[in-house]
Structure formats: C-alpha cells, structure tokens
Amino acid sequence: MSILYAQTNIQLFNQLLKAGYSRTDLVRVRKVYELAMDLFGGTFRASGKTFLAHAVGTASILGSLHARPEVIAAGLLHATYTYGEFEAARDGIPDAKRRQVRDAVGREVEDLVARFAAFPWNRKSIPLIHGGLETLSPKYREILLVRLANELEDHLDLGVLYYGNARQRRIYIRSVLYRTVDMAKRIGFPDLGMSLREAFEAVASGWIPSQFKGRRYYPFRMETYPKKEGR
Amino acid sequence: MTQEKHKLSRYPKRLDHVVWKVIDGKGILLNLENGAYFEIDSVGLAIWQKSDGRATMEEISQWAAKEFHAKAERVSRDLADFVVELKRRKLAEVRANPVPASDRS
C-alpha cells in the first residue's frame, strides 16, 4: 500500500478540501502556510529536499489521518522552534518568538508547536514513551502523532538515504525508531503504523547511487543574499 | 496541626506532561516539557499510581500505612515530603478539590 502525500501547498489545500475540511479550516491552514514560508523559506533537509516540502508533507500525512485542523497546522509548523528563521533572537524560545507565532496562528497551535519542540525524542526517551503510552495524556498523544507523521515524512521516498549519515540512520531505525510502528497502532492509527513499517523496510533494503548521497547530516539554510554584483 | 490537617485533605495529582513506565518494580518518570528523567522506588511508585487527583493525602496515607505495614504518622510525614518533591520537580500538583468526573479517564 503506497499513499501519495502532498509536497506543495496547493496539493495540501486540494487534499484537505477533498477530505471535507471546512473553508474556515482551510483559511487557517493557508495562513499557517504563509508563516511557514517566512520561517523555512531558504531551509533544506539534509537530503537537499526543501524544508517547506517536508512541512507540507507532514501536514498532509496528518490530514490523511483526519487529524484536527489545529494538529495539521502544528504539523506545518512543527520545526518552528528548531529550524525556523526568525528575525529576532536565533537561539532558544524567547518570548518574542512565541509571541510572533501566537499572533500569527493563535494560541492553541502555538502551544502544540512549543510542546513539540520540547518533546524529548531520542534513543533514551523513545523506548520510555513507547512503554508508557497508556499514561500519555490526550494532548501529548496529539504531539506524538505529529512526531510520528514527521518520522514518516522523513523516511518516505528513501529520504534518509540521501543524508550524509544514511548508515547511522539505518541503525537508528532498527534499534530505536522501529518502535514508532507499534506506537502508531496503539494510539489508534494502524494505517500510520503500516506506512511507517513500509517506509522503514524500504529504507532498510533500498539503494541509491553513491553520487546522490549528500554530505550533510542535519537541515541547513542557504543564504541567497547578497546577490552577486552585475546580475 | 491545622496546617497538617489542611494538607491531608488535599488531592495530589500527576501532571499531564509526565509519561511513566514501570521497570523492575521501580517507576521511571519522564517530564515531556523538559526531557528530565526520574526514578522512584516501589513505595514511591505505589503513591505515584494513587496520585490521580481522586484520593486525598489522608486516604493515600492510610492506604500506604496498611499496604506497607508502617506507622500512619510516619507514612503521613513521608508522603507529604514525597509530594512536595514531586511538586518541586513539576511532576505533580496538589489540588484543593478532586478532579472533576469529566476529566477522569
């Protein structure tokens, strides 16, 4: 089973419209997308894929799961406090950043995004969250859902094989990330679990020409200004 | 004494941003707001499990005294210290009233 998820804003809007989300919801998602353009305009995944495509893809996965519009919006902005480019301070989450996001997308979406940024997601925390899933509150189940959608988006199309650290990523899938398959099922999204499993298996057995592999491990930003003189 | 009584009539409650798991009889707590971990022993775990905002400190204290065959006074004091520590680490709150029925899962 292979589902195509949106990679552009237009595909996302059309998908949500078709899925029955209201006009009000769409207007809100569009507004959120505009902020995402500001924040991630010149940013790329380590694979070279544009960050906006990844953000849209994450929101699209959440839309396919019929998540609440606020959760879809949080999916679009999930990396705001980690990779978003703010005019204000660059490090941490100072109040100015939070205020800017809150003013643009509302308190609830901003709160989800801030909680996503703080949500511990690593080799040590993933097994504990997996083991303690039953103790996770409804709000944090939604945060986890965004996290799982983010993982799926990252691994679709063999995405992580284009990273400079593809080998380590494969080991990480086997040793830790594979738990997300069961997590998705247990929080009520078996299709997401199945998609995660398929994506992980594809990465485990997939191959790309070595020339296509990037050198970067983490997202990066391309500075486009100042332009060269004489252009 | 009045203050002690007052404390005993309150309801300790685990906070929503804590996920926890039982490993080898111990509780491992993870604060999802800051990524901090805590380990609590079997007695602490039993109290943690009871701290759902429905039972008062006094009720938990009486239950623990019976469960662990300890003196009620000692248990009551230890429980108060433990709950203060949970509060300090932003893992639990102490409510004046029980959790409303609609919030119970």
Side-chain angles (χ1 to χ4, degrees):
Chain A
M1 186 185 68
S2 183
I3 303 170
L4 288 177
Y5 299 105
Q7 293 287 286
T8 71
N9 56 327
I10 295 165
Q11 289 169 344
L12 177 64
F13 300 152
N14 289 336
Q15 174 198 340
L16 298 180
L17 203 58
K18 213 170 171 181
Y21 283 90
S22 74
R23 190 173 294 218
T24 314
D25 294 339
L26 279 164
V27 169
R28 181 188 289 180
V29 172
R30 188 193 164 99
K31 200 173 170 193
V32 169
Y33 179 75
E34 279 165 14
L35 177 62
M37 284 196 293
D38 277 348
L39 294 172
F40 309 123
T43 309
F44 297 81
R45 303 294 292 167
S47 60
K49 176 176 175 169
T50 64
F51 209 98
L52 263 178
H54 168 65
V56 167
T58 303
S60 174
I61 291 165
L62 293 165
S64 75
L65 299 169
H66 308 288
R68 293 190 305 125
E70 291 79 7
V71 177
I72 295 174
L76 258 175
L77 295 178
H78 68 272
T80 292
Y81 296 126
T82 38
Y83 300 116
E85 183 75 354
F86 286 85
E87 281 178 20
R90 287 177 181 234
D91 300 319
I93 311 178
D95 286 347
K97 281 186 182 179
R98 293 200 62 170
R99 230 185 350 261
Q100 189 183 331
V101 177
R102 212 175 288 150
D103 289 348
V105 300
R107 191 171 287 274
E108 189 183 355
V109 173
E110 193 280 333
D111 182 65
L112 285 168
V113 172
R115 284 177 195 270
F116 179 92
F119 196 75
W121 192 250
N122 52 52
R123 197 174 285 281
K124 197 175 168 192
S125 68
I126 291 172
L128 183 51
I129 293 167
H130 182 208
L133 264 187
E134 282 68 30
T135 70
L136 209 57
S137 69
K139 181 174 269 182
Y140 275 97
R141 280 177 181 240
E142 288 190 326
I143 306 288
L144 176 62
L145 183 63
V146 178
R147 187 43 89 175
L148 299 180
N150 172 66
E151 291 297 348
L152 176 58
E153 215 293 323
D154 231 6
H155 290 82
L156 286 173
D157 307 320
L158 308 178
V160 297
L161 293 187
Y162 291 81
Y163 285 30
N165 57 346
R167 192 170 157 269
Q168 290 95 314
R169 299 285 302 216
R170 273 181 165 148
I171 295 169
Y172 190 58
I173 290 172
R174 270 202 311 275
S175 60
V176 184
L177 224 45
Y178 211 86
R179 288 173 179 264
T180 57
V181 173
D182 186 55
M183 283 184 182
K185 286 181 192 161
R186 282 171 52 197
I187 61 166
F189 296 94
D191 289 349
L192 176 61
M194 207 184 297
S195 299
L196 279 163
R197 197 183 62 206
E198 284 174 3
F200 291 154
E201 283 172 0
V203 168
S205 60
W207 173 86
I208 61 162
S210 57
Q211 297 92 323
F212 287 180
K213 282 183 187 163
R215 283 167 298 150
R216 292 184 167 93
Y217 289 21
Y218 303 106
F220 62 99
R221 191 167 176 82
M222 294 281 272
E223 297 297 344
T224 51
Y225 295 97
K227 284 180 178 168
K228 282 182 183 172
E229 282 182 31
R231 278 193 171 179
Chain B
M1 184 66 183
T2 316
Q3 198 184 354
E4 192 68 20
K5 262 276 182 229
H6 175 68
K7 278 182 189 168
L8 288 172
S9 67
R10 290 182 161 242
Y11 300 79
K13 183 186 176 297
R14 301 181 293 268
L15 286 172
D16 284 349
H17 58 250
V18 183
V19 66
W20 51 282
K21 184 181 171 181
V22 180
I23 301 175
D24 297 333
K26 291 176 181 170
I28 310 292
L29 280 47
L30 170 61
N31 184 336
L32 297 171
E33 284 195 339
N34 57 20
Y37 293 85
F38 301 94
E39 187 179 305
I40 49 179
D41 65 15
S42 56
V43 179
L45 174 64
I47 291 165
W48 174 257
Q49 288 171 317
K50 287 274 175 194
S51 300
D52 58 2
R54 296 181 227 180
T56 61
M57 298 272 280
E58 186 161 27
E59 287 164 345
I60 295 174
S61 179
Q62 284 169 359
W63 171 85
K66 207 172 159 188
E67 183 76 15
F68 299 106
H69 310 290
K71 283 187 179 171
E73 198 177 302
R74 171 73 192 273
V75 171
S76 176
R77 208 171 45 236
D78 288 352
L79 172 65
D81 290 346
F82 181 63
V83 171
V84 164
E85 190 61 17
L86 291 176
K87 252 184 89 173
R88 194 178 68 78
R89 294 176 182 269
K90 296 184 169 54
L91 298 168
E93 62 181 351
V94 181
R95 304 167 62 103
N97 297 304
V99 173
S102 57
D103 289 0
R104 294 176 185 176
S105 53

